[in-house]
Amino acid sequence: MLKKLILAATVLSLAACAFDQDKNAGKQREIELNGKLQQTYKPVIGTYVGQITTADGTQDLEVKFFELKVDNGAKNSDGSTRLHSTLYATYKRINPAGESYDFVVGFAPETGDLTLVNVKDIKSLGRDEIQTVDAKISGNNILGEAKAISGPKGIVKLYLKARENESTGGGKEEFAYYERLRAQLTAISGTYVGQMDQGNSGPVKGIVGITLRLYVQETVKEGSTVTIPRLMGELNRADDPGHTADLTLTGVYEADLAEPRLTLTGKPARDLNSKFEAAIYGKLVNGVLEGALTSNYSMSGKLILKKQ
């Protein structure tokens, strides 16, 4: 009997050791894989500056490539979250100042091919917001083409400014960038009044008065004293005195185009978790916004609004 107990204890001990080894092996594989990926990304990671050339002219850019570890949905054998090293990029228009975009990046080291894909859902992108950049890196230079839902946007040419751990003097440059952006957004802030023609074919017909208020909202950048200006909007219909259909909107203003464009997207002010989504897309020239409002429900029509 004693021999059987000793044998059983030995078997359990060996099984426990094997289990611990298996747990450690899974975590070790994760570390090794991420280490290889980090080495793969190393020739790309850094801050690049350059330009995008479009049909409307040239814009100065800054693009930062960096590595993040993300949860890929899997678990290690010890139950811990399995993390996966992933290459990302932040694309910022420096001059004229404009909105920035965040991309997840695919990189083929054998060919130098880079594919940047906007992290935003394609359904939430404006027609002219950059969705993809197909590029190639050669040494310290990147050449590629930016594309939007509406089609090709322009040719991107970048050169390396600094590697990951090198100083770029970015504090002053960042402050100046946000100052330029703030000035652009403040210039178009105010109250716009006009009408929306809803047509005669949909469930909601005819012409309705519209009031749109644009304003700048400041948010403090995490870990910094820098404040980031963001364009916001509030829309009200004249046939809705109870403000039940008011919209809260966020905006992107492209001031550098021959005819500056404004894109606003949002949800009902009373229920920001609603499935209702609306978008305004149009040109904003000399204080007149001319475009269209669309939604995933019945609210839509052509807009002409004038700044008061």
Side-chain angles (χ1 to χ4, degrees), residues 11 36 81 93 102 129 135 140 148 182 197 223 231-232 253 287:
V11 170
K36 290 179 181 177
T81 299
R93 291 192 326 190
D102 294 317
E129 289 188 83
N140 294 332
R182 183 175 291 107
D197 185 350
L231 184 63
M232 304 293 294
Y253 177 53

Side-chain angles (χ1 to χ4, degrees), residues 257-270:
L257 304 181
E259 290 188 332
R261 280 195 290 263
L262 178 66
T263 302
L264 298 164
T265 57
K267 289 178 172 288
R270 291 191 174 186

Side-chain angles (χ1 to χ4, degrees), residues 118-282:
N118 202 312
V119 298
K120 289 174 65 175
D121 187 289
I122 194 168
K123 294 179 182 178
S124 64
L125 285 172
R127 283 182 52 78
D128 285 313
E129 289 188 83
I130 294 176
Q131 197 273 333
T132 304
V133 180
D134 292 321
K136 186 182 288 285
I137 184 169
S138 177
N140 294 332
N141 300 300
I142 294 175
L143 176 65
E145 182 180 24
K147 301 173 184 176
I149 299 171
S150 59
K153 283 283 291 183
I155 300 301
V156 176
K157 293 182 179 180
L158 305 170
Y159 65 89
L160 181 68
K161 181 179 180 182
R163 285 296 177 196
E164 184 177 25
N165 297 322
E166 297 175 0
S167 173
T168 62
K172 293 181 179 179
E173 292 178 2
E174 184 178 40
F175 181 80
Y177 161 75
Y178 286 128
E179 281 294 294
R180 291 195 297 272
L181 180 59
R182 183 175 291 107
Q184 287 182 2
L185 300 183
T186 300
I188 65 168
S189 296
T191 301
Y192 294 74
V193 177
Q195 60 187 27
M196 179 169 68
D197 185 350
Q198 302 168 111
N200 297 309
S201 57
V204 182
K205 302 176 177 66
I207 295 175
V208 61
I210 295 290
T211 298
L212 171 67
R213 185 173 78 90
L214 297 179
Y215 60 97
V216 177
Q217 184 180 79
E218 301 280 351
T219 57
V220 179
K221 184 177 180 181
E222 186 176 353
S224 170
T225 58
V226 174
T227 59
I228 302 174
R230 302 190 187 282
L231 184 63
M232 304 293 294
E234 297 172 353
L235 184 141
N236 171 251
R237 297 169 59 102
D239 60 356
D240 179 36
H243 298 277
T244 59
D246 282 8
L247 297 177
T248 295
L249 306 158
T250 58
V252 175
Y253 177 53
E254 297 175 278
D256 51 289
L257 304 181
E259 290 188 332
R261 280 195 290 263
L262 178 66
T263 302
L264 298 164
T265 57
K267 289 178 172 288
R270 291 191 174 186
D271 183 9
L272 296 178
N273 294 318
S274 170
K275 293 183 179 179
F276 179 90
E277 296 178 348
I280 295 173
Y281 178 81

Side-chain angles (χ1 to χ4, degrees), residues 67-110:
E67 176 259 348
L68 289 177
K69 291 183 176 65
V70 298
D71 179 356
N72 67 0
K75 298 285 186 182
N76 291 311
S77 54
D78 63 355
S80 62
T81 299
R82 187 176 299 171
L83 300 176
H84 184 77
S85 290
T86 305
L87 189 60
Y88 283 87
T90 296
Y91 172 113
K92 184 188 294 183
R93 291 192 326 190
I94 299 298
N95 191 21
E99 293 296 315
S100 61
Y101 303 106
D102 294 317
F103 296 92
V104 62
V105 182
F107 175 50
E110 302 85 2

Side-chain angles (χ1 to χ4, degrees), residues 17-37:
C17 290
F19 180 68
D20 287 340
Q21 288 174 356
D22 183 61
K23 287 198 299 182
N24 293 334
K27 191 68 177 176
Q28 186 61 34
R29 283 194 297 270
E30 176 191 323
I31 293 170
E32 290 174 356
L33 174 60
N34 285 336
K36 290 179 181 177
L37 288 172

